[in-house]
mmCIF file of all heavy atoms in Angstrom:
data_model
loop_
_atom_site.group_PDB
_atom_site.id
_atom_site.type_symbol
_atom_site.label_atom_id
_atom_site.label_comp_id
_atom_site.label_asym_id
_atom_site.label_seq_id
_atom_site.Cartn_x
_atom_site.Cartn_y
_atom_site.Cartn_z
ATOM 1 N N ASN A 23 -9.237 -12.119 -5.194
ATOM 2 C CA ASN A 23 -9.241 -11.913 -6.647
ATOM 3 C C ASN A 23 -10.498 -12.487 -7.275
ATOM 4 O O ASN A 23 -10.925 -13.596 -6.913
ATOM 5 C CB ASN A 23 -8.041 -12.599 -7.311
ATOM 6 C CG ASN A 23 -6.759 -11.798 -7.184
ATOM 7 O OD1 ASN A 23 -6.781 -10.603 -6.888
ATOM 8 N ND2 ASN A 23 -5.632 -12.451 -7.390
ATOM 9 N N TYR A 24 -11.064 -11.753 -8.227
ATOM 10 C CA TYR A 24 -12.137 -12.272 -9.077
ATOM 11 C C TYR A 24 -11.736 -12.052 -10.527
ATOM 12 O O TYR A 24 -11.277 -10.963 -10.899
ATOM 13 C CB TYR A 24 -13.460 -11.560 -8.802
ATOM 14 C CG TYR A 24 -14.490 -11.781 -9.898
ATOM 15 C CD1 TYR A 24 -15.145 -13.008 -10.021
ATOM 16 C CD2 TYR A 24 -14.770 -10.782 -10.825
ATOM 17 C CE1 TYR A 24 -16.065 -13.227 -11.036
ATOM 18 C CE2 TYR A 24 -15.697 -10.987 -11.834
ATOM 19 C CZ TYR A 24 -16.332 -12.211 -11.941
ATOM 20 O OH TYR A 24 -17.230 -12.423 -12.954
ATOM 21 N N SER A 25 -11.881 -13.068 -11.353
ATOM 22 C CA SER A 25 -11.579 -12.929 -12.780
ATOM 23 C C SER A 25 -12.714 -13.545 -13.592
ATOM 24 O O SER A 25 -13.295 -14.555 -13.199
ATOM 25 C CB SER A 25 -10.257 -13.613 -13.129
ATOM 26 O OG SER A 25 -10.305 -14.998 -12.833
ATOM 27 N N SER A 26 -13.011 -12.915 -14.726
ATOM 28 C CA SER A 26 -14.076 -13.403 -15.596
ATOM 29 C C SER A 26 -13.484 -13.841 -16.925
ATOM 30 O O SER A 26 -12.339 -13.516 -17.266
ATOM 31 C CB SER A 26 -15.121 -12.308 -15.826
ATOM 32 O OG SER A 26 -14.556 -11.260 -16.607
ATOM 33 N N GLU A 27 -14.276 -14.553 -17.717
ATOM 34 C CA GLU A 27 -13.815 -15.023 -19.014
ATOM 35 C C GLU A 27 -13.595 -13.865 -19.987
ATOM 36 O O GLU A 27 -12.861 -13.997 -20.967
ATOM 37 C CB GLU A 27 -14.814 -16.020 -19.604
ATOM 38 C CG GLU A 27 -14.905 -17.321 -18.812
ATOM 39 C CD GLU A 27 -15.800 -18.353 -19.479
ATOM 40 O OE1 GLU A 27 -16.215 -18.113 -20.630
ATOM 41 O OE2 GLU A 27 -16.072 -19.383 -18.850
ATOM 42 N N SER A 28 -14.204 -12.714 -19.726
ATOM 43 C CA SER A 28 -14.034 -11.549 -20.598
ATOM 44 C C SER A 28 -12.683 -10.869 -20.391
ATOM 45 O O SER A 28 -12.274 -10.037 -21.202
ATOM 46 C CB SER A 28 -15.151 -10.540 -20.339
ATOM 47 O OG SER A 28 -15.020 -9.988 -19.036
ATOM 48 N N GLY A 29 -11.978 -11.201 -19.311
ATOM 49 C CA GLY A 29 -10.697 -10.574 -19.002
ATOM 50 C C GLY A 29 -10.780 -9.547 -17.898
ATOM 51 O O GLY A 29 -9.768 -9.196 -17.295
ATOM 52 N N PHE A 30 -11.994 -9.050 -17.620
ATOM 53 C CA PHE A 30 -12.142 -8.067 -16.555
ATOM 54 C C PHE A 30 -12.241 -8.767 -15.200
ATOM 55 O O PHE A 30 -12.783 -9.873 -15.085
ATOM 56 C CB PHE A 30 -13.374 -7.199 -16.786
ATOM 57 C CG PHE A 30 -13.231 -6.260 -17.952
ATOM 58 C CD1 PHE A 30 -13.723 -6.593 -19.197
ATOM 59 C CD2 PHE A 30 -12.577 -5.043 -17.793
ATOM 60 C CE1 PHE A 30 -13.574 -5.724 -20.278
ATOM 61 C CE2 PHE A 30 -12.428 -4.174 -18.854
ATOM 62 C CZ PHE A 30 -12.920 -4.519 -20.110
ATOM 63 N N GLY A 31 -11.716 -8.102 -14.182
ATOM 64 C CA GLY A 31 -11.743 -8.682 -12.849
ATOM 65 C C GLY A 31 -11.677 -7.609 -11.783
ATOM 66 O O GLY A 31 -11.744 -6.411 -12.059
ATOM 67 N N PHE A 32 -11.517 -8.066 -10.543
ATOM 68 C CA PHE A 32 -11.489 -7.160 -9.397
ATOM 69 C C PHE A 32 -10.594 -7.768 -8.328
ATOM 70 O O PHE A 32 -10.561 -8.997 -8.142
ATOM 71 C CB PHE A 32 -12.893 -6.959 -8.844
ATOM 72 C CG PHE A 32 -12.925 -6.174 -7.559
ATOM 73 C CD1 PHE A 32 -12.821 -4.797 -7.569
ATOM 74 C CD2 PHE A 32 -13.037 -6.830 -6.338
ATOM 75 C CE1 PHE A 32 -12.828 -4.074 -6.380
ATOM 76 C CE2 PHE A 32 -13.043 -6.119 -5.148
ATOM 77 C CZ PHE A 32 -12.946 -4.736 -5.175
ATOM 78 N N SER A 33 -9.867 -6.911 -7.634
ATOM 79 C CA SER A 33 -9.057 -7.350 -6.504
ATOM 80 C C SER A 33 -9.291 -6.433 -5.319
ATOM 81 O O SER A 33 -9.152 -5.212 -5.433
ATOM 82 C CB SER A 33 -7.570 -7.362 -6.879
ATOM 83 O OG SER A 33 -6.780 -7.742 -5.771
ATOM 84 N N GLY A 34 -9.659 -7.014 -4.196
ATOM 85 C CA GLY A 34 -9.743 -6.286 -2.938
ATOM 86 C C GLY A 34 -8.621 -6.749 -2.033
ATOM 87 O O GLY A 34 -8.370 -7.945 -1.909
ATOM 88 N N GLN A 35 -7.938 -5.807 -1.403
ATOM 89 C CA GLN A 35 -6.779 -6.149 -0.587
ATOM 90 C C GLN A 35 -6.863 -5.467 0.774
ATOM 91 O O GLN A 35 -7.459 -4.403 0.912
ATOM 92 C CB GLN A 35 -5.489 -5.723 -1.307
ATOM 93 C CG GLN A 35 -5.350 -6.347 -2.685
ATOM 94 C CD GLN A 35 -4.140 -5.836 -3.452
ATOM 95 O OE1 GLN A 35 -3.450 -4.909 -3.022
ATOM 96 N NE2 GLN A 35 -3.876 -6.429 -4.609
ATOM 97 N N LEU A 36 -6.269 -6.103 1.765
ATOM 98 C CA LEU A 36 -6.142 -5.524 3.104
ATOM 99 C C LEU A 36 -4.683 -5.662 3.503
ATOM 100 O O LEU A 36 -4.188 -6.780 3.713
ATOM 101 C CB LEU A 36 -7.059 -6.229 4.098
ATOM 102 C CG LEU A 36 -7.179 -5.566 5.468
ATOM 103 C CD1 LEU A 36 -7.801 -4.176 5.347
ATOM 104 C CD2 LEU A 36 -8.006 -6.423 6.412
ATOM 105 N N LEU A 37 -3.981 -4.522 3.609
ATOM 106 C CA LEU A 37 -2.530 -4.526 3.744
ATOM 107 C C LEU A 37 -2.057 -3.651 4.902
ATOM 108 O O LEU A 37 -2.683 -2.642 5.219
ATOM 109 C CB LEU A 37 -1.878 -3.993 2.455
ATOM 110 C CG LEU A 37 -2.322 -4.610 1.131
ATOM 111 C CD1 LEU A 37 -1.720 -3.833 -0.029
ATOM 112 C CD2 LEU A 37 -1.937 -6.072 1.063
ATOM 113 N N PHE A 38 -0.949 -4.047 5.503
ATOM 114 C CA PHE A 38 -0.182 -3.169 6.383
ATOM 115 C C PHE A 38 0.988 -2.645 5.555
ATOM 116 O O PHE A 38 1.788 -3.426 5.035
ATOM 117 C CB PHE A 38 0.333 -3.930 7.600
ATOM 118 C CG PHE A 38 1.320 -3.137 8.422
ATOM 119 C CD1 PHE A 38 0.881 -2.194 9.330
ATOM 120 C CD2 PHE A 38 2.687 -3.329 8.272
ATOM 121 C CE1 PHE A 38 1.786 -1.455 10.089
ATOM 122 C CE2 PHE A 38 3.604 -2.599 9.013
ATOM 123 C CZ PHE A 38 3.146 -1.661 9.930
ATOM 124 N N THR A 39 1.074 -1.316 5.401
ATOM 125 C CA THR A 39 2.103 -0.719 4.549
ATOM 126 C C THR A 39 2.802 0.411 5.275
ATOM 127 O O THR A 39 2.166 1.242 5.921
ATOM 128 C CB THR A 39 1.485 -0.181 3.240
ATOM 129 O OG1 THR A 39 0.828 -1.245 2.554
ATOM 130 C CG2 THR A 39 2.559 0.393 2.329
ATOM 131 N N GLN A 40 4.117 0.449 5.145
ATOM 132 C CA GLN A 40 4.921 1.501 5.755
ATOM 133 C C GLN A 40 5.241 2.564 4.711
ATOM 134 O O GLN A 40 5.933 2.295 3.728
ATOM 135 C CB GLN A 40 6.209 0.909 6.327
ATOM 136 C CG GLN A 40 5.970 -0.060 7.474
ATOM 137 C CD GLN A 40 7.263 -0.677 7.989
ATOM 138 O OE1 GLN A 40 8.106 -1.092 7.218
ATOM 139 N NE2 GLN A 40 7.408 -0.727 9.307
ATOM 140 N N LEU A 41 4.724 3.775 4.943
ATOM 141 C CA LEU A 41 5.005 4.917 4.080
ATOM 142 C C LEU A 41 5.860 5.920 4.851
ATOM 143 O O LEU A 41 6.390 5.615 5.905
ATOM 144 C CB LEU A 41 3.697 5.545 3.601
ATOM 145 C CG LEU A 41 2.757 4.633 2.813
ATOM 146 C CD1 LEU A 41 1.513 5.395 2.364
ATOM 147 C CD2 LEU A 41 3.450 3.998 1.618
ATOM 148 N N GLY A 42 6.002 7.144 4.297
ATOM 149 C CA GLY A 42 6.809 8.162 4.954
ATOM 150 C C GLY A 42 7.975 8.579 4.091
ATOM 151 O O GLY A 42 7.900 8.577 2.862
ATOM 152 N N ALA A 43 9.107 8.928 4.726
ATOM 153 C CA ALA A 43 10.277 9.403 3.985
ATOM 154 C C ALA A 43 11.496 9.423 4.899
ATOM 155 O O ALA A 43 11.373 9.446 6.125
ATOM 156 C CB ALA A 43 10.024 10.810 3.434
ATOM 157 N N GLN A 44 12.662 9.419 4.272
ATOM 158 C CA GLN A 44 13.897 9.725 4.993
ATOM 159 C C GLN A 44 14.039 11.250 5.087
ATOM 160 O O GLN A 44 13.666 11.971 4.155
ATOM 161 C CB GLN A 44 15.110 9.139 4.271
ATOM 162 C CG GLN A 44 15.142 7.621 4.262
ATOM 163 C CD GLN A 44 16.456 7.090 3.713
ATOM 164 O OE1 GLN A 44 17.443 6.963 4.442
ATOM 165 N NE2 GLN A 44 16.465 6.780 2.426
ATOM 166 N N THR A 45 14.564 11.716 6.206
ATOM 167 C CA THR A 45 14.689 13.157 6.432
ATOM 168 C C THR A 45 16.089 13.508 6.930
ATOM 169 O O THR A 45 16.879 12.618 7.288
ATOM 170 C CB THR A 45 13.660 13.627 7.484
ATOM 171 O OG1 THR A 45 13.901 12.939 8.726
ATOM 172 C CG2 THR A 45 12.234 13.337 7.012
ATOM 173 N N ASN A 46 16.366 14.816 6.963
ATOM 174 C CA ASN A 46 17.638 15.327 7.505
ATOM 175 C C ASN A 46 18.844 14.635 6.881
ATOM 176 O O ASN A 46 19.683 14.057 7.577
ATOM 177 C CB ASN A 46 17.672 15.183 9.034
ATOM 178 C CG ASN A 46 16.558 15.940 9.713
ATOM 179 O OD1 ASN A 46 16.158 17.010 9.258
ATOM 180 N ND2 ASN A 46 16.042 15.384 10.806
ATOM 181 N N ASN A 47 18.909 14.690 5.543
ATOM 182 C CA ASN A 47 20.016 14.071 4.808
ATOM 183 C C ASN A 47 20.165 12.583 5.128
ATOM 184 O O ASN A 47 21.270 12.066 5.310
ATOM 185 C CB ASN A 47 21.329 14.803 5.089
ATOM 186 C CG ASN A 47 21.321 16.220 4.564
ATOM 187 O OD1 ASN A 47 20.847 16.471 3.455
ATOM 188 N ND2 ASN A 47 21.827 17.159 5.360
ATOM 189 N N LYS A 48 19.029 11.920 5.223
ATOM 190 C CA LYS A 48 18.947 10.462 5.439
ATOM 191 C C LYS A 48 19.417 10.026 6.823
ATOM 192 O O LYS A 48 19.684 8.840 7.046
ATOM 193 C CB LYS A 48 19.747 9.708 4.375
ATOM 194 C CG LYS A 48 19.296 9.969 2.948
ATOM 195 C CD LYS A 48 20.098 9.127 1.959
ATOM 196 C CE LYS A 48 19.670 9.407 0.530
ATOM 197 N NZ LYS A 48 20.423 8.595 -0.444
ATOM 198 N N THR A 49 19.514 10.972 7.771
ATOM 199 C CA THR A 49 19.931 10.597 9.123
ATOM 200 C C THR A 49 18.744 10.206 9.997
ATOM 201 O O THR A 49 18.928 9.657 11.085
ATOM 202 C CB THR A 49 20.697 11.746 9.791
ATOM 203 O OG1 THR A 49 19.841 12.895 9.875
ATOM 204 C CG2 THR A 49 21.946 12.096 8.990
ATOM 205 N N ASP A 50 17.520 10.515 9.569
ATOM 206 C CA ASP A 50 16.335 10.183 10.341
ATOM 207 C C ASP A 50 15.222 9.746 9.380
ATOM 208 O O ASP A 50 15.365 9.846 8.152
ATOM 209 C CB ASP A 50 15.878 11.368 11.182
ATOM 210 C CG ASP A 50 15.037 10.935 12.391
ATOM 211 O OD1 ASP A 50 14.721 9.722 12.502
ATOM 212 O OD2 ASP A 50 14.678 11.802 13.203
ATOM 213 N N GLU A 51 14.122 9.277 9.942
ATOM 214 C CA GLU A 51 13.007 8.803 9.134
ATOM 215 C C GLU A 51 11.677 9.224 9.741
ATOM 216 O O GLU A 51 11.563 9.364 10.966
ATOM 217 C CB GLU A 51 13.015 7.270 9.029
ATOM 218 C CG GLU A 51 14.177 6.679 8.274
ATOM 219 C CD GLU A 51 14.128 5.163 8.244
ATOM 220 O OE1 GLU A 51 13.214 4.575 8.899
ATOM 221 O OE2 GLU A 51 14.986 4.552 7.576
ATOM 222 N N ILE A 52 10.714 9.441 8.885
ATOM 223 C CA ILE A 52 9.310 9.522 9.295
ATOM 224 C C ILE A 52 8.640 8.272 8.775
ATOM 225 O O ILE A 52 8.549 8.057 7.556
ATOM 226 C CB ILE A 52 8.627 10.787 8.739
ATOM 227 C CG1 ILE A 52 9.270 12.043 9.306
ATOM 228 C CG2 ILE A 52 7.125 10.758 9.046
ATOM 229 C CD1 ILE A 52 8.742 13.332 8.707
ATOM 230 N N ASN A 53 8.213 7.416 9.678
ATOM 231 C CA ASN A 53 7.545 6.166 9.311
ATOM 232 C C ASN A 53 6.057 6.294 9.605
ATOM 233 O O ASN A 53 5.650 6.320 10.774
ATOM 234 C CB ASN A 53 8.129 4.990 10.097
ATOM 235 C CG ASN A 53 9.576 4.720 9.733
ATOM 236 O OD1 ASN A 53 9.881 4.381 8.600
ATOM 237 N ND2 ASN A 53 10.477 4.893 10.702
ATOM 238 N N LEU A 54 5.263 6.398 8.551
ATOM 239 C CA LEU A 54 3.810 6.431 8.696
ATOM 240 C C LEU A 54 3.272 5.048 8.336
ATOM 241 O O LEU A 54 3.371 4.607 7.180
ATOM 242 C CB LEU A 54 3.202 7.493 7.777
ATOM 243 C CG LEU A 54 3.670 8.936 8.013
ATOM 244 C CD1 LEU A 54 2.930 9.887 7.086
ATOM 245 C CD2 LEU A 54 3.489 9.344 9.467
ATOM 246 N N ASN A 55 2.738 4.367 9.336
ATOM 247 C CA ASN A 55 2.254 2.994 9.153
ATOM 248 C C ASN A 55 0.743 3.006 8.945
ATOM 249 O O ASN A 55 0.001 3.560 9.759
ATOM 250 C CB ASN A 55 2.614 2.140 10.363
ATOM 251 C CG ASN A 55 4.118 2.075 10.601
ATOM 252 O OD1 ASN A 55 4.898 2.076 9.660
ATOM 253 N ND2 ASN A 55 4.521 2.038 11.867
ATOM 254 N N TYR A 56 0.312 2.392 7.863
ATOM 255 C CA TYR A 56 -1.100 2.412 7.483
ATOM 256 C C TYR A 56 -1.666 1.004 7.333
ATOM 257 O O TYR A 56 -0.954 0.077 6.931
ATOM 258 C CB TYR A 56 -1.292 3.121 6.137
ATOM 259 C CG TYR A 56 -1.085 4.609 6.156
ATOM 260 C CD1 TYR A 56 0.150 5.169 5.846
ATOM 261 C CD2 TYR A 56 -2.138 5.478 6.460
ATOM 262 C CE1 TYR A 56 0.341 6.538 5.840
ATOM 263 C CE2 TYR A 56 -1.951 6.851 6.462
ATOM 264 C CZ TYR A 56 -0.717 7.376 6.152
ATOM 265 O OH TYR A 56 -0.547 8.744 6.149
ATOM 266 N N ILE A 57 -2.944 0.882 7.641
ATOM 267 C CA ILE A 57 -3.754 -0.226 7.159
ATOM 268 C C ILE A 57 -4.395 0.261 5.866
ATOM 269 O O ILE A 57 -5.171 1.221 5.882
ATOM 270 C CB ILE A 57 -4.821 -0.658 8.171
ATOM 271 C CG1 ILE A 57 -4.165 -1.151 9.459
ATOM 272 C CG2 ILE A 57 -5.718 -1.738 7.581
ATOM 273 C CD1 ILE A 57 -3.298 -2.399 9.304
ATOM 274 N N GLN A 58 -4.056 -0.384 4.770
ATOM 275 C CA GLN A 58 -4.538 0.030 3.456
ATOM 276 C C GLN A 58 -5.597 -0.944 2.937
ATOM 277 O O GLN A 58 -5.504 -2.148 3.161
ATOM 278 C CB GLN A 58 -3.405 0.067 2.435
ATOM 279 C CG GLN A 58 -2.417 1.187 2.619
ATOM 280 C CD GLN A 58 -1.459 1.282 1.447
ATOM 281 O OE1 GLN A 58 -0.939 0.283 0.960
ATOM 282 N NE2 GLN A 58 -1.216 2.485 0.973
ATOM 283 N N ALA A 59 -6.566 -0.385 2.217
ATOM 284 C CA ALA A 59 -7.591 -1.197 1.560
ATOM 285 C C ALA A 59 -7.704 -0.767 0.099
ATOM 286 O O ALA A 59 -8.573 0.033 -0.248
ATOM 287 C CB ALA A 59 -8.934 -1.065 2.269
ATOM 288 N N PRO A 60 -6.816 -1.282 -0.782
ATOM 289 C CA PRO A 60 -6.938 -0.986 -2.209
ATOM 290 C C PRO A 60 -8.114 -1.760 -2.824
ATOM 291 O O PRO A 60 -8.326 -2.939 -2.527
ATOM 292 C CB PRO A 60 -5.604 -1.479 -2.795
ATOM 293 C CG PRO A 60 -4.689 -1.651 -1.621
ATOM 294 C CD PRO A 60 -5.583 -2.010 -0.481
ATOM 295 N N LEU A 61 -8.869 -1.090 -3.693
ATOM 296 C CA LEU A 61 -9.997 -1.683 -4.412
ATOM 297 C C LEU A 61 -9.712 -1.514 -5.893
ATOM 298 O O LEU A 61 -9.898 -0.422 -6.450
ATOM 299 C CB LEU A 61 -11.304 -0.996 -4.014
ATOM 300 C CG LEU A 61 -11.597 -0.961 -2.509
ATOM 301 C CD1 LEU A 61 -12.796 -0.064 -2.210
ATOM 302 C CD2 LEU A 61 -11.824 -2.363 -1.970
ATOM 303 N N LEU A 62 -9.254 -2.571 -6.554
ATOM 304 C CA LEU A 62 -8.620 -2.455 -7.855
ATOM 305 C C LEU A 62 -9.416 -3.133 -8.958
ATOM 306 O O LEU A 62 -9.659 -4.343 -8.915
ATOM 307 C CB LEU A 62 -7.214 -3.075 -7.799
ATOM 308 C CG LEU A 62 -6.291 -2.520 -6.703
ATOM 309 C CD1 LEU A 62 -5.003 -3.312 -6.647
ATOM 310 C CD2 LEU A 62 -6.020 -1.039 -6.912
#
C-alpha cells in the first residue's frame, strides 16, 4: 500500500484466488485457480 496526504494512493497485490462456478445443478464444480496481480 502507498498513501499520500492528498488522499490518493496505490495498492499492488499478489494473490492466489479460486474462480470458476458450480455446474450440473450444483452437483459438480469447475475450479479455476489463478495467481492474480491486481494494480489498484
